[in-house]
Amino acid sequence: MKGTVGELGEFGLIDRLTSRLTTTPAVRLGPGDDAAVVAAPDRRVVASTDLLLEGRHFRRDWSTAYDVGRKSAAQNLADIAAMGAVPTALLLGLVVPAQLPVTWAAELMDGIRDEAQVAGAAVVGGDVVRGDSITVAITALGDLRGHEPVTRSGAHPGDIVAYTGWLGWSAAGHAVLSRGFRSPRAFVEAHRRPEPPYHAGPAAAGLGATAMTDVSDGLVADLGHIAQASTVRIDLRSGLVDIPSQMSDIGQAVGIDPLQWVFTGGEDHAIVATFPPDVKLPARWKVIGEVLGPSAQPQVTVDGAPWTGDGGWDHFGDAET
Amino acid sequence: MKGTVGELGEFGLIDRLTSRLTTTPAVRLGPGDDAAVVAAPDRRVVASTDLLLEGRHFRRDWSTAYDVGRKSAAQNLADIAAMGAVPTALLLGLVVPAQLPVTWAAELMDGIRDEAQVAGAAVVGGDVVRGDSITVAITALGDLRGHEPVTRSGAHPGDIVAYTGWLGWSAAGHAVLSRGFRSPRAFVEAHRRPEPPYHAGPAAAGLGATAMTDVSDGLVADLGHIAQASTVRIDLRSGLVDIPSQMSDIGQAVGIDPLQWVFTGGEDHAIVATFPPDVKLPARWKVIGEVLGPSAQPQVTVDGAPWTGDGGWDHFGDAET
């Protein structure tokens, strides 16, 4: 087996990568032609693109290729779910240095494939090019199954705010890793490999969600996009947030209030949505606030006051940013 | 106005870029949410991704940002047309160095937008990330309008081979540019900005094309993919190829047989297809060969013999590769 991408060549690498893929009934034509063909039964297709760069979005010494693949795919698939759609397909653009081991690229592909499978989707095509540093460009497609897309602009005063999935786990894991530790394992793994609640997106659309997004930049920041687009104020209640005891322990150890992770940590791809107040939410949704306004100054507040970052939540007197 | 991408910041840049975009009726939800929503009336969506890297696919000293945008979009939109589909939407992933002038990125966006418009499509979303070198990742979507996708695998013995669009113009332009010249203008412009015959793809599907592709790697190479996928031999007749007199002149000047450009030059994104022999082709299609076989050794021949590259076509006794 040829060891590096440069030795194998681009066509060889494409063969090696596509040979690892699986398919679904939605894939009408998979990789190998000028373009792929994917079922879009709703007569509308939902589409989103994201880029991940080595050094900026992942580190090869912190994450395996497989985990980078899982994470890259998760990030895109979560965007589809957050519109209320069911993910159907991924396309992969991959820039690889000539010295990159073929095994790294193959394991990346395995991670992307497996995460797509978790979400019910398949990798249908892509492009591979040699370049100086690893870049992963993923486009995800999805189907609305008759629901209207749930945008960021539909939140109404009186709506409740609820989320499902994980909040702050990736940030806590990052704090652990950046101090040179490898445990607690649950948080390190959450940083390496998020688990977005894909099914919850379409389910929320079915429950009448008025606005929805996935938490990629942090809860306050991402709800800020909803507040802005809906011209409302969103108030979160810190007392409604459950902090797992292990997360509190890490916070104490590293001198950071875990609420900081919950409110500003990104990358877990929890799904947060606003719902009419009379909605009956399934058990795994957690209500954490309400929609106020309409507001001339759309913003997210916590317990009625602007979120002031770590300073405002410096319970340990030793917080870092 | 802030001069560089680094000064403007990513959110500022995204605002600047999306403010330049136009829309179409197929765009149900454009940029600014977790994902875009695009009409897919056929209930299937055609999708393709390509990457372009500075230095490898374009040079800032040879092409303007606007031309790089046109070219990047054209490359992807041609893939959609080559399936017999009508392009509907583009998504753009853009890696930009901090020192890049904002105007460069804005002009790139203009080029992508304008090329999309030529094809009837619109830019519906994307991602912008800072990195060391410019990378353009484009995903194109399209609609089949009731036609079956025309793949590479349907060519039958007895079919005719025909193309429409431009062949070898970009390669001739590249030969001119790489020798430090800027004229003849028509060829230099063809290199900077291809003009794929988008409409011809769906039209060919309607005419019963049995296999189709766009010429991105060169006619012989791309027809080779059809020969391989269809397990046939394809024989081209050099006597059927029209060489414009100006192309002959350049060939003479630089010591390259222009047939070399026509048979191996990529990037013009002509559309080449196989059709049943009784097809009535519109005037702008040019028949250049036929499908033989089935063949255990699928390949493309020229005048019955394997294509041997420049050596075999060294009419000037001074050919370069």
Side-chain angles (χ1 to χ4, degrees):
Chain A
M1 170 163 150
K2 291 175 175 166
T4 69
V5 161
E7 285 159 15
L8 186 59
E10 280 173 30
F11 284 109
L13 180 60
I14 288 171
D15 284 347
R16 184 73 60 86
L17 296 182
T18 52
S19 73
R20 311 179 84 83
L21 296 178
T22 52
T23 189
T24 72
V27 180
R28 301 301 163 79
L29 184 68
D33 219 296
D34 291 311
V37 183
V38 180
D42 178 79
R43 294 178 182 264
R44 292 171 296 184
V45 62
V46 178
S48 178
T49 287
D50 274 310
L51 294 166
L52 285 95
L53 272 62
E54 182 175 14
R56 173 131 194 194
H57 300 97
F58 62 88
R59 287 174 52 164
R60 270 194 268 173
D61 54 340
W62 282 10
S63 297
T64 64
Y66 182 80
D67 286 342
V68 174
R70 294 288 298 240
K71 193 168 179 169
S72 312
Q75 176 177 328
N76 282 268
L77 294 160
D79 281 330
I80 301 301
M83 299 303 292
V86 177
T88 53
L90 293 182
L91 295 104
L92 168 67
L94 183 61
V95 181
V96 285
Q99 334 73 271
L100 187 76
V102 171
T103 50
W104 198 93
E107 283 161 21
L108 176 86
M109 187 83 264
D110 289 351
I112 294 172
R113 173 200 64 205
D114 288 355
E115 190 68 24
Q117 241 169 358
V118 167
V123 179
V124 296
D127 191 16
V128 176
V129 170
R130 247 179 276 171
D132 291 334
S133 60
I134 304 174
T135 302
V136 182
I138 296 190
T139 300
L141 305 180
D143 191 76
L144 286 162
R145 295 199 179 171
H147 290 301
E148 281 312 296
V150 184
T151 66
R152 297 172 178 170
S153 62
H156 296 296
D159 284 351
I160 58 165
V161 179
Y163 82 95
T164 187
W166 311 93
L167 277 179
W169 286 57
S170 176
H174 184 272
V176 166
L177 282 167
S178 61
R179 281 159 182 81
F181 297 107
R182 302 254 160 182
S183 67
R185 219 179 153 75
F187 295 92
V188 170
E189 283 186 356
H191 177 70
R192 288 190 176 132
R193 195 188 299 176
E195 292 185 5
Y198 299 117
H199 61 283
L207 290 165
T210 51
M212 183 154 57
T213 191
D214 74 303
V215 181
S216 49
D217 295 332
L219 183 65
V220 170
D222 288 308
L223 278 174
H225 297 144
I226 287 183
Q228 204 77 42
S230 303
T231 56
V232 295
R233 185 156 76 81
I234 289 174
D235 190 47
L236 301 176
R237 302 221 196 95
S238 60
L240 291 175
V241 172
D242 289 327
I243 305 282
S245 61
Q246 249 193 329
M247 195 187 277
S248 298
D249 294 346
I250 305 174
Q252 208 117 32
V254 301
I256 292 180
D257 182 348
L259 272 180
Q260 168 81 3
W261 293 325
V262 169
F263 283 138
T264 67
E267 298 203 331
D268 288 301
H269 303 290
I271 288 185
V272 61
T274 57
F275 295 92
D278 56 350
V279 71
K280 299 263 174 290
L281 288 176
R284 285 188 212 173
W285 285 85
K286 174 82 185 156
V287 176
I288 49 167
E290 64 183 318
V291 179
L292 309 172
S295 173
Q297 261 204 312
Q299 60 174 328
V300 179
T301 51
V302 177
D303 302 328
W307 169 253
T308 54
D310 60 327
W313 297 92
D314 184 4
H315 294 184
F316 300 110
D318 189 21
E320 301 183 17
T321 323
Chain B
M1 170 164 151
K2 291 173 175 169
T4 70
V5 161
E7 285 159 14
L8 187 59
E10 280 173 30
F11 284 108
L13 181 60
I14 288 171
D15 284 347
R16 183 74 59 86
L17 296 183
T18 52
S19 73
R20 311 179 84 83
L21 296 178
T22 52
T23 189
T24 72
V27 180
R28 300 301 164 81
L29 185 68
D33 219 296
D34 291 310
V37 182
V38 179
D42 179 78
R43 294 177 183 264
R44 292 171 295 184
V45 61
V46 179
S48 178
T49 287
D50 274 309
L51 294 166
L52 284 96
L53 272 61
E54 183 176 12
R56 173 131 194 196
H57 299 98
F58 62 88
R59 286 175 53 164
R60 271 193 266 171
D61 54 340
W62 281 11
S63 297
T64 65
Y66 183 80
D67 285 343
V68 173
R70 295 288 298 240
K71 193 168 178 170
S72 311
Q75 175 176 328
N76 281 268
L77 294 160
D79 281 329
I80 301 300
M83 298 303 292
V86 177
T88 53
L90 293 183
L91 294 105
L92 168 66
L94 183 60
V95 181
V96 284
Q99 335 72 271
L100 187 75
V102 171
T103 50
W104 199 94
E107 284 161 21
L108 176 86
M109 187 83 264
D110 289 351
I112 293 171
R113 172 200 65 205
D114 288 354
E115 190 67 25
Q117 240 170 0
V118 167
V123 178
V124 295
D127 192 16
V128 176
V129 170
R130 245 178 279 171
D132 292 334
S133 59
I134 304 173
T135 303
V136 182
I138 296 189
T139 300
L141 305 179
D143 190 76
L144 286 162
R145 296 200 180 170
H147 290 301
E148 283 311 297
V150 184
T151 66
R152 297 172 178 171
S153 61
H156 297 295
D159 283 352
I160 58 165
V161 179
Y163 82 95
T164 186
W166 312 93
L167 279 179
W169 285 58
S170 176
H174 184 271
V176 166
L177 282 167
S178 62
R179 280 159 182 82
F181 297 106
R182 302 253 160 181
S183 67
R185 218 178 155 75
F187 295 91
V188 170
E189 283 186 357
H191 177 71
R192 289 189 175 134
R193 195 188 300 176
E195 292 185 5
Y198 300 115
H199 61 283
L207 290 165
T210 52
M212 182 154 59
T213 192
D214 74 302
V215 180
S216 50
D217 295 332
L219 183 66
V220 170
D222 288 307
L223 279 173
H225 298 144
I226 287 183
Q228 204 76 41
S230 304
T231 56
V232 294
R233 186 156 76 80
I234 289 174
D235 190 46
L236 301 176
R237 302 221 196 95
S238 60
L240 291 174
V241 172
D242 289 327
I243 306 282
S245 62
Q246 249 193 328
M247 194 187 277
S248 299
D249 293 346
I250 304 173
Q252 207 119 29
V254 302
I256 292 179
D257 182 347
L259 272 179
Q260 168 82 4
W261 293 324
V262 170
F263 283 139
T264 69
E267 299 203 330
D268 287 302
H269 303 290
I271 288 186
V272 62
T274 57
F275 295 93
D278 56 350
V279 70
K280 299 264 172 294
L281 287 177
R284 285 187 211 173
W285 286 84
K286 173 83 184 156
V287 176
I288 49 167
E290 64 182 318
V291 179
L292 309 173
S295 172
Q297 262 204 313
Q299 60 173 328
V300 178
T301 52
V302 177
D303 302 328
W307 169 255
T308 55
D310 61 327
W313 297 92
D314 185 4
H315 294 184
F316 301 110
D318 189 23
E320 301 182 16
T321 323

